[in-house]
Each structure stands twice: as structure tokens, then as C-alpha cells.
Amino acid sequence: MRNVAIIGVTLLASVVGTTLAQGITFKGFPKSGSYQKLTSLNAQGDCPTEQYKFSGANSPLDEELSAVVRGPARVKQFAVYTQDNTSSRKRSPKADAHKRRHGHQHFHEKNKEIREEKEDVERRNGQLVTATMFGTVVTMTDTWDAASPAPAAAQPAASPAVASPVAVPAAAPVIDAGTGNWGRVAYYDAESATANGLTFLGNVNWNSETYESLGATLGYVTPNGQNSSNKPAILENSLIPDGVEFVISSATACKNDCGATAPGANAYHGWNGAEKVFMIEIEMPLSGQTGYLNADMPAFWLLNTQIVNQQQYGKCSCWATGCGEWDIHEILKAGATTGYASMHMGDNYAGTPPQGLTRPTSGTMKIAAIVSGGVAHVEVLNPNTSFGNTLSGATVAGYINTPNATPFNVTIP
């Protein structure tokens, strides 16, 4: 067993017994390890694996990552920065060989219909799920029911292909940020309908050949983020409904260089490298919805891109064996006004510090998620922070070097 220390929690206030945080730093990554990587994936859901060994100060978060947003949420801006601003196009053989999946394993399995085998514990009604929550090991009964009602947008009938003209994201610009600084390689602005260096995707591919075995696979989404499109589109400036999720990957499509991907999926690369920053401006309004899976439980998180390109909710990906998920701001209970950051490195594992983040129910919050120098840091940004073309090295270092450290240890199997 290995420990990861979560330190550098800057405290804001205490609300109903929960201390709110300005910044949280995850440290103590194992630097080496392994997970089971898919070697192939077919329409019947056959997905053999082999052991894949990783190493690096931030591994496996130094592999390609994609972002996921769940409603109710409104995204106003999103940006990705790297110290090698060509990383959206250059990839090492290590990165090319491993890309795609997830299985958000709190008490919040997603609202996509799943075809899984019995050994997939986290989604089986009545099975036990063990996790470390707020410093305590707890065992819960998973009462998720495949028959639970979900928003209509998640059903196959609500996902027609769209052929009407829509705005298409542009390629990533090449920005010379200068030595030690960070260049922006992807950007989205809702109000101006600007998008470059990224692609909006979702589990909206209801392919009759793969649905029974893999469920809905990754495809382009319409501007409302909910339905299937026949080409990339720019997300419109509107509210994403409860339970609906979309994925943000890079603008570089996989061309037999992403390892195993789901048949027929619109598979894209994520953002690779040990030095990268994800920034988002997001609103998470209260909807008052209850009674179905993930009602009034918005979230923003990062996944190893292999997960989303393969089977985000199911057995055919590397999620359960530890290829990496980082929850940045997740609401764990319907209607809650405090969200949490967590680190997942395998099945039945969750490391969640007790310090929460304010849910931006009225107006937006700007957040940075930083992978750099052996740490993974979440920072609530000043409302006036600009998502400009560059970030200085001093700015990123200032975010990471959060004062008033509060230690919190989690265990990686």
C-alpha cells in the first residue's frame, strides 16, 4: 500500500461544519506502478489487457488527460496550458499507446445505460463498495438500479444525428510562451462562441453493433452538449441539464495511434505531459431536481483519455486498475452547496480531503487544475483572472505553493 499526502489546503471559512478550501495540493505520487491496459476492443465487448508499467513524478497523471463536465452546469471558459505548447500535436510512444476510460465511482454512477459483467462491483445493485472518505475507510452498499429514471437527453431516442450547419472548433494556435512559462494550447469562450485546439464529445454514439456490449460510445455532440452530431461543434452558451455529461479532448483525432478504442467511436487525443494546467470558468446552479441518478449533482473532473475513448462506464478500460481519475470539483449529494476534490487510482479507492469547495450556484467560479513537479493542485482563482495566451512560471508556482498546509493522507492500492 502506498500513501499520497494531500497538503497545502488554504482555508476560507466554515459552513455547516465543512471547512472550505481555496487550494488543495495532492503530493506523494508513487512515481512508478502499473495498470492493465487494453490491447484491443471489439464490438462484442471483448477487451483483453496486458500489464502496463508507468513511471514519472506525476504518473499516471502525466499521461493524456481529457476533461469531463456534468450538469447542471454552465461552462463560460475553458483553457489548457503546457510548457511545451506543441504537446497537442507531439506525443511520445508511451502516450500514444494508452488512451481512454472512466467509471466515476463515488455514490454517483452516471446516467448512461450500462452492460457490464458481474465482477464490475461498483455498478452492481446490492454490492459493496469500499472507499476512504474524509480520512475514514467506509463500506457502502451500491443501490444503483438500472431502472432508475434519468433525464430524457440521456436516452437513445433523444440523440438524432444533426446535419445542419454549426460552428466548428479551430486548430490549436502555436504560442511562444518563453522559457519557463506556459502557452495556451486550447481555449473555449461561450459568449463569443470561440473554440480552438479542442473537441466537444459525449457518450452519444448509439451504435446498434456495439450498444448491447459497450453502451453508448464517444461521439461528437450538438451545440447543446446533449445529442449526437455528425461533425465537431462548438458548445453553445447555455445550461447543461442535470445528469448530462460531455467530454473535452484535444483537436487531434486518433489515427491508429491511441491504442485500443471503441469501434465506431470518435476517438481523440487528450493532453499529454508532466507539466500542464487546466482552467475552467463554471457555474453550477441549483436545479432542485431529485429522484434520479445524479440529479442536481454537477461535477468537473479529469480522466486518463484511454477511459473515454474505450468504455467510460464499464469493464473495458483501465479505470479499475489505476490509470487515473482526478475529480476537481464534484457535488456528492443532490442539492449540496459544497463540492470536493478526489484522486482515484484504482477500483474501490477514493482519497478525498475534508476541505470542500464552494459550489458556484449564482455566478461563475474560476478554477485551475495543475499537474507539475510531482504535485497535482486545485486552485480557486481570483474572479478577475484572465485565461490569456500565456501563464508565467511565477504565476503557476504561486498557485502551487499554497500556504497554511493541512496534511491529509490517502492510500493507493
Side-chain angles (χ1 to χ4, degrees):
M1 308 290 279
R2 299 189 182 96
N3 288 332
V4 168
I6 301 178
I7 69 171
V9 179
T10 303
L11 308 181
L12 290 180
S14 180
V15 179
V16 196
T18 300
T19 302
L20 300 180
Q22 177 74 29
I24 301 171
T25 304
F26 295 75
K27 284 192 174 183
F29 286 88
K31 298 184 180 180
S32 65
S34 66
Y35 59 80
Q36 293 300 119
K37 183 175 65 174
L38 268 63
T39 57
S40 63
L41 176 56
N42 65 23
Q44 291 72 46
D46 299 320
C47 48
T49 66
E50 65 181 9
Q51 184 183 45
Y52 177 79
K53 294 182 179 180
F54 59 78
S55 62
N58 287 104
S59 59
L61 294 184
D62 57 356
E63 299 179 14
E64 291 191 19
L65 300 179
S66 293
V68 188
V69 174
R70 182 176 68 221
R74 180 181 286 106
V75 176
K76 305 296 286 187
Q77 291 186 92
F78 176 82
V80 181
Y81 298 82
T82 69
Q83 282 194 312
D84 171 13
N85 62 350
T86 61
S87 67
S88 62
R89 297 179 298 282
K90 292 182 179 177
R91 283 169 182 83
S92 67
K94 171 185 174 181
D96 287 339
H98 54 267
K99 274 133 228 81
R100 285 107 251 289
R101 156 142 176 33
H102 169 76
H104 228 205
Q105 177 215 359
H106 276 132
F107 350 122
H108 59 284
E109 310 314 323
K110 310 312 191 200
N111 60 350
K112 311 299 181 194
E113 186 175 356
I114 303 164
R115 307 285 197 251
E116 294 182 6
E117 296 185 359
K118 292 182 180 179
E119 67 264 26
D120 195 348
V121 175
E122 62 179 333
R123 290 177 187 74
R124 281 312 186 195
N125 190 27
Q127 295 281 351
L128 296 180
V129 178
T130 302
T132 303
M133 300 297 294
F134 315 128
T136 303
V137 176
V138 296
T139 300
M140 300 167 285
T141 300
D142 183 0
T143 58
W144 179 78
D145 185 352
S148 299
Q155 304 304 316
S159 300
V162 174
S164 56
V166 293
V168 176
V174 176
I175 297 170
D176 184 4
T179 303
N181 297 324
W182 302 66
R184 195 178 71 191
V185 296
Y187 180 64
Y188 163 69
D189 177 70
E191 291 192 4
S192 65
T194 298
N196 57 65
L198 51 77
T199 309
F200 294 105
L201 304 157
N203 291 311
V204 294
N205 248 338
W206 303 97
N207 187 322
S208 60
E209 294 182 0
T210 59
Y211 177 71
E212 287 298 320
S213 58
L214 298 175
T217 57
L218 203 64
Y220 301 124
V221 293
T222 51
N224 66 8
Q226 301 176 53
N227 304 319
S228 175
S229 174
N230 60 359
K231 64 180 180 180
I234 297 177
L235 195 70
E236 64 189 18
N237 187 13
S238 64
L239 181 70
I240 302 299
D242 292 52
V244 174
E245 298 176 6
F246 65 88
V247 174
I248 310 175
S249 290
S250 78
T252 304
C254 296
K255 296 180 179 179
N256 298 317
D257 57 355
C258 289
T261 61
N266 295 124
Y268 275 71
H269 285 281
W271 288 279
N272 183 45
E275 304 288 327
K276 51 201 171 192
V277 178
F278 297 82
M279 292 172 62
I280 193 169
E281 181 180 3
I282 190 170
E283 182 180 6
M284 298 176 171
L286 293 166
S287 70
Q289 296 292 306
T290 59
Y292 58 87
L293 194 65
N294 294 324
D296 206 2
M297 293 171 61
F300 167 58
W301 70 99
L302 300 173
L303 283 176
N304 189 306
T305 308
Q306 295 177 82
I307 295 168
V308 296
N309 283 347
Q310 293 168 352
Q311 187 184 27
Q312 189 172 345
Y313 299 108
K315 66 183 181 66
C316 284
S317 81
C318 56
W319 187 89
T321 58
C323 62
E325 171 191 341
W326 184 17
D327 301 331
I328 310 303
H329 193 322
E330 180 178 21
I331 303 301
L332 299 177
K333 181 180 179 181
T337 56
T338 300
Y340 294 92
S342 300
M343 192 70 68
H344 297 258
M345 296 293 178
D347 210 359
N348 295 332
Y349 161 78
T352 306
Q355 292 78 16
L357 302 173
T358 301
R359 176 175 175 174
T361 59
S362 179
T364 61
M365 171 184 283
K366 294 178 179 179
I367 307 170
I370 305 166
V371 178
S372 178
V375 305
H377 181 80
V378 178
E379 180 80 4
V380 177
L381 302 172
N382 185 298
N384 297 322
T385 300
S386 171
F387 290 21
N389 286 337
T390 63
L391 290 173
S392 71
T395 296
V396 175
Y399 293 153
I400 294 173
N401 296 323
T402 308
N404 302 324
T406 299
F408 179 83
N409 294 321
V410 295
T411 301
I412 295 179

